[in-house]
Amino acid sequence: MPRPIDALIHTDALAHNLAAARAHAPDARLWAVVKADAYGHGIERAFAGLRGADGFALLDLDEAQRLRALDWRGPILLLEGVFEPRDLELCSRLDLWHAVHCDQQIDWLARHKTQAPHRVFLKLNSGMNRLGFRPAAFRQAWARLNALPQVEEISLMTHFSDADGPRGIAHQLAAFNTATHDLPGERSLSNSAAILRHMGPDLAGALASDWVRAGILCYGSAPDFPDHDIAHWQLQPAMTLRSRLIGTQDLQPGDTVGYGSSFTADRAMRIGVVACGYADGYPRLCPTGTPVLVDGVRCRTVGRVSMDMLTVDLAPVPGAGIGSPVTLWGRGPGDSLLPIDEVAAAAGTIGYELMCALARRVPVAVA
Ligand SMILES: Cc1ncc(COP(=O)(O)O)c(C=O)c1O
């Protein structure tokens, strides 16, 4: 028998979350962001739940090819554009739309020989200071693209750095509007946090965007946790990581647990040993007290997470024993639920990182 650990991808949750994004941005077309192998869910598996999107946004040509192999004929956007000139040939062949964020990419386009002109998304650096033209250079970039026979249509995009937090989007939105107000073309602005927090039919002065880019919300993680959780945004976890107890120990007061003896029992207690460790993608940084479900009941981890195992306090589930189901995140037995955001927060990180880091050795099934 293989180790009793696996991950489940919930097609119904992906579709539900996509519908939640649409409810916030009913007038926009929706990119489902599937970079990083659909945030660790697997492009092919995620596609089943996200096929109702208007397009897919990603980074890797390889992943774009996989989407075309699934017979997806709609739009695909390369969020970072091409990385070298010959990538443009594949863009022509696979009909990929691509971001243009620097002068080199325009130079490459100008030298590219194609029968079918390209659809590009010109990216403004409105304050994030990663990719994109600064406002002073934006117009000239637009004019250069507009003069190229290789370019059929220019859309305009930017990316928010603080849509999930108190700084918000106003300063970047103002920069975007100033730089683009008299330029034609479709606009794409919002990531998940902007969709959830700054768009919605009931929101006065809501952000307008022709295309929104929904990433993390599709996968059932709240972009602004702990301000809001997935219950607040009515999202459902799209990934469950589950395992079983493979051992138990009865501790006496003063006994310690695991490497570094970081946990000491202050009373007699029973602990369970779970077949899941950092080599499965469970964060080693999760301290004693990280939530975990045993038999669908909320428990806490004790001691350090090791490569293949972690340990839990079984006090809330006295009936648990070897073989009892353990939910590390996602859906548990019955109606139980453990949002990935809670585990991520315990490790000092975000749900994005945990789902992307699911290890290759964990078998994954579609539920
Ligand atoms: C340019 C761009 N748009 C959209 C997204 C989706 O963001 P989120 O997963 O927060 O919705 C990302 C992800 O980092 C991105 O880089």
Side-chain angles (χ1 to χ4, degrees):
M1 182 183 164
R3 286 174 75 233
I5 181 167
D6 64 359
L8 297 175
I9 305 304
H10 306 290
T11 308
D12 59 340
L14 291 162
H16 168 92
N17 297 337
L18 199 71
R22 281 215 191 275
H24 277 263
D27 300 327
R29 270 164 295 157
L30 190 64
W31 295 110
V33 181
V34 293
K35 64 195 173 108
D37 206 13
Y39 289 45
H41 294 65
I43 297 252
E44 289 77 9
R45 288 184 286 265
F47 182 68
L50 298 177
R51 62 192 317 154
D54 298 300
F56 289 91
L58 41 68
L59 309 183
D60 287 321
L61 285 166
D62 168 57
E63 292 183 346
Q65 260 173 316
R66 283 164 57 193
L67 270 176
R68 289 291 183 230
L70 292 166
D71 219 18
W72 172 255
R73 299 184 180 200
I76 297 178
L77 174 64
L78 300 177
L79 286 167
E80 295 180 356
V82 295
F83 301 106
E84 58 175 336
R86 68 176 176 169
D87 294 346
L88 290 168
E89 287 158 30
L90 213 55
C91 289
S92 297
R93 189 140 50 83
L94 297 176
D95 188 19
L96 307 181
W97 302 3
H98 47 103
V100 170
H101 62 76
C102 64
D103 282 314
Q104 285 82 349
Q105 289 176 329
I106 304 181
D107 297 342
W108 299 339
L109 257 173
R111 292 197 294 268
H112 176 55
K113 296 191 179 23
T114 180
Q115 307 296 328
H118 289 205
R119 168 100 182 238
V120 298
F121 277 63
L122 181 61
K123 185 158 186 178
L124 176 75
N125 171 11
S126 57
M128 170 79 118
N129 287 314
R130 286 192 323 193
L131 298 179
F133 293 90
R134 293 184 80 87
F138 194 72
R139 242 144 228 293
Q140 206 207 339
W142 187 89
R144 276 191 77 200
L145 283 173
N146 194 42
L148 293 182
Q150 291 89 340
V151 173
E152 178 185 43
E153 195 171 337
I154 309 171
S155 302
L156 311 173
M157 72 183 287
T158 197
H159 192 48
F160 295 128
S161 57
D162 291 83
D164 56 332
R167 192 169 183 215
I169 60 169
H171 60 296
Q172 285 186 266
L173 190 55
F176 183 82
N177 287 339
T178 305
T180 63
H181 71 277
D182 56 350
L183 293 178
E186 294 189 331
R187 270 82 169 141
S188 179
L189 295 146
S190 297
N191 58 358
S192 294
I195 294 167
L196 293 172
R197 289 169 67 105
H198 300 285
M199 300 184 82
D202 309 329
L203 214 61
L207 180 60
S209 201
D210 298 300
W211 286 91
V212 295
R213 307 188 300 271
I216 195 69
L217 80 77
C218 293
Y219 305 101
S221 163
D224 57 351
F225 187 84
D227 272 8
H228 298 108
D229 59 13
I230 53 169
H232 174 87
W233 294 123
Q234 298 183 323
L235 303 174
Q236 297 174 4
M239 179 192 285
T240 292
L241 178 62
R242 62 180 191 174
S243 180
R244 292 188 182 275
L245 294 186
I246 57 168
T248 60
Q249 297 289 340
D250 291 307
L251 304 185
Q252 297 306 313
D255 283 350
T256 62
V257 179
Y259 288 118
S261 302
S262 71
F263 177 80
T264 306
D266 60 0
R267 61 201 137 88
M269 62 186 288
R270 209 164 145 259
I271 61 165
V273 182
V274 184
C276 179
Y278 61 78
D280 299 300
Y282 192 91
R284 184 176 173 277
L285 287 175
C286 282
T288 289
T290 301
V292 55
L293 306 180
V294 179
D295 264 338
V297 177
R298 216 177 157 92
C299 298
R300 59 171 184 147
T301 63
V302 290
R304 271 198 205 148
V305 174
S306 53
M307 185 184 284
D308 312 304
M309 285 174 268
L310 57 86
T311 32
V312 295
D313 179 356
L314 294 179
V317 271
I322 290 182
S324 292
V326 177
T327 309
L328 287 316
W329 60 69
R331 292 183 186 171
D335 288 337
S336 61
L337 198 73
L338 178 56
I340 196 168
D341 299 323
E342 289 191 41
V343 183
T349 185
I350 50 178
Y352 296 70
E353 187 177 354
L354 267 55
M355 52 182 79
C356 290
L358 184 72
R360 288 162 73 104
R361 78 173 185 179
V362 177
V364 185
V366 173

